[in-house]
């Protein structure tokens, strides 16, 4: 039996129904990702599942005793509470039972204990506390705080958005719900926190429904994709990649069916408008069919249009945007270094991703690059004719009382993009804002709509340098994919701060990553630049961590025989590491230099081939339709692993010289 069953749900705000006969059933232990366009009604549906809101009509069946916990996009907490107190609120029912139980015991005397029903009430409370595992509630709270790396005594008001989201998750986890409902859980979380949350939710024993636009996160966590589209819920088993293929086929079939219906309606309209002779012979049944076709066409809800993105790249900047030489930065002599001895050259057209935990100093590094701050040490040379436009994740640049039209083009009804004059109403329409909303205040917009408005204002400015700080928060997947394509084609320079792995990998050409974790041998302010996106950085980071761990293990086992232990270690990488460490530095020969230059291309080619093979074998269908080819591809994938390891080890040896 389903834990939660929704059927024939209807919900409308204004004239457009958000839910139009929607149906959904949630089974135990499944993890459903709820996706859909901004404004489609996902958050409203999640609140209905949580019992916080009621639909206009429909049936909701909930299994008796089901514990449901909802975590909002922007969680709120009582004023003045600490982290421990905020997390403890997740045990509200347990705490009330404990208070009643303790009050009975503390206030009881011989006369009270002799009262009929005293012992039975005490036993009843004892049984309820047992069932909720409430005797050691403090230990449950401490365990949740440790798992989420939270300090219990810190006031919640002083926490960043990402840490507040962790507190809300801890509050939900301590209650041990049967159904966990999460609205955009990855917003404001850094990469490490997102990976931690992925692992946590994959091991979650209860049922889970979450709203997210992070495709990599959905792929890692979800066992089912549920799309809310034009008021109707459609379910697709499996990962997001499988959903994309199935949805594409459905939309093509739907477009074909609609085209046929429209053609038939047009033919019938022509027939009914024919001359007197035709009107004498027309049949009653055919007229009835025409009326039915008209009604079906009127009731059809076409798919919401796509955002039309166009970006004015302005006049080209100089070839060099910024050149940093051994740059360091800190605020005050007694403060930790935010940037330490970082060097880089950024050229016109580069698309640079900045990644690191919240508070690592990404904004400070950007300010150094763009000339808004001067380094404590080192030298920065900045390019000429830089026109910079900012996208602020906190939307601080939006005046909530201004209208949409004034936000885009204050004091004028026209804007100019790439030399073309455009009316502000038409421009807002490109970002899916209806003309009647142009004079509405910004505060009436939802989070995703505010992000769309901020993008609209950003793209209306002529700029050859774009700084995008978490532009993906609250944007739906369709808009994300269009924004990816636009940034790929953009001729200017892009600095992108985002924790959406797939979005970053699709846009950037290089990545500047924070690597100041002391546990991994880093120091405060350590930043390194890598070619490629987040996935490329993760591969290189994990490889370096593996080498460090092997070296540390060998040295711990026998400090005097460290080199020998490395050579005789568990794999060829350990041997290569020891050989590299002990070998004297020397200049590469011409042949070795050519080999070193060719290795990145070879590694990239092997990795591309491996990805293509994995994609072909992913759903297992090939083993059923063409077993010999599937077997051959599987064997080739194994061989590629060996070739990659050999190439990487050779690259390590040659590069160290």
């Amino acid at each position: 039996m389903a834990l939660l069953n929704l059927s024939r749900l209807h919900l409308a705000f204004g004239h457009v129904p958000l839910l139009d006969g929607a149906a959904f059933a949630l089974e135990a232990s499944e993890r459903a990702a709820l996706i859909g366009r901004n404004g489609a009604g996902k958050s409203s549906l999640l609140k209905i599942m949580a019992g916080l809101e009621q639909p206009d009509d429909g049936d909701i069946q909930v299994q008796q005793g089901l514990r449901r916990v909802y975590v909002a996009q922007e969680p709120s907490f009582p004023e003045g509470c600490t982290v421990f107190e905020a997390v403890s609120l997740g045990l509200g029912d347990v705490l009330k039972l404990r208070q009643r139980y303790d009050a009975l015991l503390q206030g009881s005397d011989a006369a009270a204990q002799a009262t009929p029903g005293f012992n039975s009430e005490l036993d009843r409370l004892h049984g309820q506390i047992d069932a909720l595992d409430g005797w050691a509630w403090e230990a449950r709270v401490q365990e949740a705080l440790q798992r989420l790396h939270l300090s219990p005594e810190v006031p919640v008001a002083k926490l960043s958005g990402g840490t507040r989201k962790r507190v809300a998750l801890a509050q939900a986890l301590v209650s041990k719900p049967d159904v966990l409902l999460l609205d955009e859980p990855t917003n404001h979380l850094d990469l490490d926190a997102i990976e931690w949350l992925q692992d946590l939710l994959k091991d979650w024993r209860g049922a889970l429904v979450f709203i997210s636009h992070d495709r990599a996160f959905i792929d890692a966590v979800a066992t089912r994709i549920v799309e809310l589209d034009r008021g109707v819920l459609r379910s697709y088993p499996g990962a997001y990649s499988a959903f994309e293929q199935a949805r594409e086929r459905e939309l093509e079939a739907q477009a074909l069916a609609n085209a046929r219906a429209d053609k038939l309606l047009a033919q019938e309209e022509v027939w009914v408008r024919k001359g007197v002779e035709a009107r004498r012979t027309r049949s009653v049944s055919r007229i009835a069919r025409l009326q039915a076709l008209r009604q079906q066409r009127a009731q059809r809800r076409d798919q919401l249009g796509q955002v039309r993105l166009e970006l004015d790249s302005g006049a080209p900047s100089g070839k060099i945007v910024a050149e940093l030489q051994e740059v360091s930065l800190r605020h005050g002599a007694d403060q930790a270094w935010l940037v330490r001895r970082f060097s880089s050259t950024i050229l016109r057209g580069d698309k640079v991703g900045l990644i690191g935990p919240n508070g690592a100093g990404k904004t400070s590094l950007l300010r150094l690059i763009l000339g808004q701050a001067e380094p404590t040490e080192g030298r920065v040379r900045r390019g000429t004719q830089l026109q910079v436009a900012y996208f602020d994740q906190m939307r601080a640049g939006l005046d909530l009382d201004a209208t949409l039209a004034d936000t885009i083009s204050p004091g004028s009804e026209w804007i100019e993009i790439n030399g073309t004059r455009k009316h502000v109403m038409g421009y807002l329409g490109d970002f899916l804002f209806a003309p009647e909303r142009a004079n509405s205040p910004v505060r009436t917009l939802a989070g995703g709509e505010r992000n769309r408005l901020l993008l609209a204002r950003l793209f209306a400015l002529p700029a050859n340098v774009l700084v995008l700080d978490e532009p993906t928060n609250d944007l739906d997947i369709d808009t994300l994919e269009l924004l990816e394509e636009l940034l790929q084609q953009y001729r200017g320079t892009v600095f992108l701060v985002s924790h959406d792995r797939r979005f970053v990998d699709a846009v950037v050409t290089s990545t500047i990553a924070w690597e100041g974790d002391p546990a991994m041998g880093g120091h405060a302010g350590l930043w390194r630049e890598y070619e490629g996106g987040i996935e490329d950085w993760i591969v290189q980071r994990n490889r370096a961590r593996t080498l460090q761990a092997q070296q540390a293990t060998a040295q711990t086992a026998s400090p005097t025989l460290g080199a020998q232990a490395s050579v005789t270690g568990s794999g060829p990488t350990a041997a290569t590491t020891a050989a590299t460490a002990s070998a004297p530095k020397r200049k590469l020969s011409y042949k070795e230099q050519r080999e070193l230059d060719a290795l990145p291309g070879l590694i990239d080619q092997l990795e591309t081939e491996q990805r293509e093979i994995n994609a072909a074998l992913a759903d297992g269908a090939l083993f059923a339709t063409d077993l010999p080819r599937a077997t051959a591809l599987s064997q080739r994938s194994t061989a590629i692993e060996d070739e990659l390891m050999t190439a990487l080890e050779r690259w390590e040896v040659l590069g160290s010289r």
Side-chain angles (χ1 to χ4, degrees), residues 411-472:
S412 174
E413 294 183 354
W414 300 89
I415 60 173
E416 188 170 317
I417 299 179
N418 289 327
T420 303
R421 206 160 175 252
K422 199 165 193 174
H423 196 276
V424 68
M425 296 292 188
Y427 184 70
L428 283 170
D430 290 345
F431 288 82
L432 305 183
F433 293 110
E436 56 267 23
R437 301 185 68 184
N439 293 317
S440 300
V442 173
R443 67 174 63 256
T444 63
L445 301 180
E449 292 175 319
R450 292 185 189 184
N451 269 17
R452 279 213 312 271
L453 182 66
L454 204 54
L455 285 175
R457 191 179 72 168
L458 180 77
F459 293 169
L461 302 172
N464 50 38
V465 177
L466 283 182
V467 180
L468 304 175
D469 188 358
E470 293 291 355
T472 62

Side-chain angles (χ1 to χ4, degrees), residues 52 55 93 144 158 189 251 295 367 373 397 461 477 503-504 571:
L52 302 175
D93 293 340
K158 294 184 177 181
L189 294 186
L251 288 175
Q295 186 176 6
R367 287 168 56 82
L461 302 172
I477 292 174
F503 182 82
V504 173

